[in-house]
Amino acid sequence: MKPLVIVGDSMLDIDIEGTATRLSPEAPVPVVDTQRLMQRPGGAGLAALLAARTETRVVLVTGIADDDAGRQLHGLLAAAGVRVLGLPMRGTTVIKTRIRARGQSLLRLDGGDGSPVSRPLSDDVTTVLAGARAICVADYGGGVTALPEIRGVLSQLAPRIPIVWDPHPRGSVPVPGCSLVTPNQQEAQHFCGDSRDGELLRKRWCAQLVCITRGEHGAWVYGPHGAAEHVGVPQPAGASGDVCGAGDRFAVAAATALGAGAGPVAAVVAAVADAARFVATGGAAAVSAPVLRAVLPTGTRIEDPAGVDAVALAERLRRDGHTVVATGGCFDLLHTGHIRLLRQARELGDALIVLVNSDKSVRALKGDGRPVMRDADRARVLAALACVDAVAIFDEPTPQRLLEQLRPDIWVKGGDYAAADLPEAEVVRRHGGEVVILPTVAGYSSSRLIAAATSGRTRTERS
C-alpha cells in the first residue's frame, strides 16, 4: 500500500500536569503541585503520530535537530511506527511546555530555535512524496513549507495526488491546486479579515476546496460551485475537552479519506467526526507518554516508575477523575508481543500500572528453571518503557489481592485468555472495573524464546 505522507514542522510537546489549590506568597499566581510530566511529538509530528494509530504506512518529512530533545522526538515517532525522513536543520529542537491543573492550561513556555536549511531534497524524500496515496501538510510556521524545494515538488504533485494543507498564520501560503485547505475560524480571519469568507480564500489559494473548521460547531466547506455547505458534529465533543491536536486529527482524517478515494465533502464529514471523537476521548493528552529525564529542564525531578507506589498512584489518579489501566504477567524476557500489548493498554486510559509475578510465583506457574530474570530486574525493564507509569510485584499465583487495593478502571489481558476464565475478573468488576482482552501478536512467546535459547546453548556445549 502507498504511504500516507505528512510534511511540516515538528516539535516536542511537554505537559506538566498537577493540581493548583493555593496562590504563591511571592505573587498572585497559582502554585501547581506537579503530579506527572508527559510528552508527545508536536506539530507535524503529532499529525504523523495520530495517522499511525490507524494507518500502517506513515512517513513524516520534517526537520529534527540533533540534540537530546530531537533524539527523544525521533524515538517517540519511531516507537509509533512512523518512518521519519529528515530535512537538514540548524538550531535546537523547538519545545512547547504546557502547565496544566485539573485539565486546564495555565501557562505555555516555548523554547528552541530550530529551522530547516534550504538544500536539494534527498532521493528518499522525492520518491516518497511522488509515491504517496495522499499528502497532509501540517504547517506550523517553522519554515518547512517555505523551502523552495518542498514547494516545487508539492506544486508538481498537486494535480495527481490529494494534498490537504493545514495552514498557519506564520507559515507559507498553500501551493496552488491543493485538494483541501483547512484553516480554523481564527486563521481564516487572519488570512482575509473575515472568518466566513472561505470562497475568497479558495480563489486566492487556487484550491479545489477550503474548509473552515469551527470546533464544536462543525465546519463550512467552500467549493467551486457556489454556496457553502455546513458539516455538523455528529455528537458534541464537549466544550471542556482538550482541543490541542484537534486540527491535526482533522487534517489527517481528511487526507486519509481522500487517499482512499472519498469525495472532498465526504472527506470533510469523516474528518469532522474524527476530530470530535479525538477531543471527546482526551485530545493530545491521551496520546502522550511519560517524560524522560534527558529533555527536562535542569533540576526538574521525575519519579522512577519502578519506585512509584502503585496503589497510591491509582488512588490519586482516581481522585482526580483519571482512568487507571492495569495489566499483569510474568514478562520473563520481554518481546514484541508484550510491547504491543502494553502500548495498546496504555492508550485505553490515563495511566498504566503493570503487575508482575514474583520469582516465587513464576516458579509455581512455570516450574524449576524459571524465571530467567529476577523479579526486580523484570520490574526495572518494564518501568523503563515510556508507556508504563508504575510497576508492582505480587507473590500469589494471581494478582487478586493486589487488584483489591488498586481497583483499576480497566484490567487488560492478552488474547490467549478468555475473560470468563480469569479468576481476577470478579475482583475487577466488583469494584466497577472492566475486563478488556487485547489480541496477541502471533509467533511470540517467552517460553518459546527461552527454550530456543537453551537448546542453542546445549548444542554449543556438546560440540
Side-chain angles (χ1 to χ4, degrees), residues 422-458:
L422 295 173
E424 66 269 24
E426 185 274 331
V427 174
V428 174
R429 291 178 177 134
R430 177 157 36 88
H431 292 291
E434 175 187 2
V435 178
V436 173
I437 305 297
L438 293 177
T440 56
V441 181
Y444 289 94
S445 160
S446 293
S447 297
R448 199 176 306 155
L449 289 171
I450 292 167
T454 304
S455 174
R457 186 176 67 239
T458 302

Side-chain angles (χ1 to χ4, degrees), residues 349-373:
D350 299 306
L352 175 62
I353 298 172
V354 181
L355 310 185
V356 181
N357 294 73
S358 70
D359 294 346
K360 172 185 173 184
S361 176
V362 174
R363 277 193 295 272
L365 293 169
K366 307 285 186 179
D368 293 337
R370 299 286 299 274
V372 172
M373 294 175 61

Side-chain angles (χ1 to χ4, degrees), residues 178-342:
C178 287
S179 302
L180 182 64
V181 183
T182 63
N184 63 32
Q185 192 168 359
Q186 292 75 27
E187 290 164 347
Q189 190 162 8
H190 168 85
F191 292 126
C192 70
D194 187 342
S195 64
R196 296 164 294 181
D197 200 345
E199 179 59 16
L200 174 63
L201 291 175
R202 191 189 71 79
K203 292 177 178 177
R204 181 181 296 174
W205 291 332
C206 300
Q208 296 177 36
L209 263 77
V210 163
C211 174
I212 298 179
T213 59
R214 299 173 184 263
E216 61 185 302
H217 301 296
W220 283 92
V221 183
Y222 300 82
H225 304 298
E229 182 172 345
H230 179 253
V231 177
V233 177
Q235 292 181 347
S240 61
D242 183 5
V243 298
C244 177
D248 295 302
R249 177 67 262 177
F250 180 93
V252 164
T256 301
L258 289 171
V265 175
V268 170
V269 171
V272 166
D274 265 19
R277 282 193 297 270
F278 176 73
V279 172
T281 54
V287 294
S288 303
V291 173
L292 298 184
R293 293 171 180 79
V295 300
L296 293 176
T298 302
T300 304
R301 297 182 61 196
I302 183 170
E303 293 178 297
D304 176 2
V308 171
D309 183 328
V311 174
L313 174 64
E315 288 178 353
R316 188 177 73 208
L317 290 169
R318 265 197 313 274
R319 187 171 61 245
D320 293 338
H322 296 298
T323 299
V324 178
V325 182
T327 188
C330 299
F331 300 101
D332 194 17
L333 287 192
L334 208 61
H335 54 66
T336 296
H338 290 141
I339 300 298
R340 184 169 298 183
L341 174 73
L342 293 169

